[in-house]
Amino acid sequence: KHYEEALTVARDQAKQASETKSSFLANMSHELRTPLNAIIGVTEMLQEDAREFKREDEFEPLERVIRAARHLLALINDILDLSKVEAGKIELHLESFPLSPLVEDVLKTIQPLAEKNGNELSANCPGDIGTIRADQTRVRQALLNLVSNANKFTEHGKVTMRVQRTAENGGDWITMEVSDTGIG
């Protein structure tokens, strides 16, 4: 009897700790996302001004700030998503969206990291690959994670993303592959 009570108490404490952690992560991610969104918004306004006043030398540094802020935002969202997965509360938001621009965006986000490691980053994704029905945020996160990891463990090499559409079992399928010449 005493053993069962101890198990019940331990289970309840673990559940409370998990709920506390999830609450902390949700609050922390909100507190971090708010200033990051402000950084992105102000930087986009500065880009518009630079474009309007033809200050071309400002475009690329401002674009780097936006990419870095969006990457941090994605990391924060990953942390929040992980806590949701652990709590069994993850929700998918299915929508149809063009795949090629998403692939280009992922490459642009990782490009500064690739250059830092001396890597060549490329994608083999047909421009006419069309749309995909999925959770766009989750697809972007998965690709960012794969390409980022491939780049992280590759130096002075090549990271390649391949995206193709195939017909199989009466349906269309999208296959996305990331390969690298690194140690893995």
Side-chain angles (χ1 to χ4, degrees), residues 62-74:
L62 290 170
E63 186 60 35
R64 262 188 290 149
V65 170
I66 288 174
R67 280 196 310 265
R70 287 185 178 148
H71 183 66
L72 279 174
L73 206 51

Side-chain angles (χ1 to χ4, degrees), residues 92-97 132-139:
L92 295 178
H93 302 283
L94 299 178
E95 62 182 320
S96 292
F97 58 92
I132 181 175
R133 180 158 175 77
D135 185 317
Q136 185 171 356
T137 301
R138 304 289 182 264
V139 171

Side-chain angles (χ1 to χ4, degrees), residues 79-92:
I79 291 169
L80 183 59
D81 287 347
L82 181 59
S83 70
K84 286 181 181 178
V85 167
E86 288 176 348
K89 296 180 180 175
I90 193 86
E91 292 179 25
L92 295 178

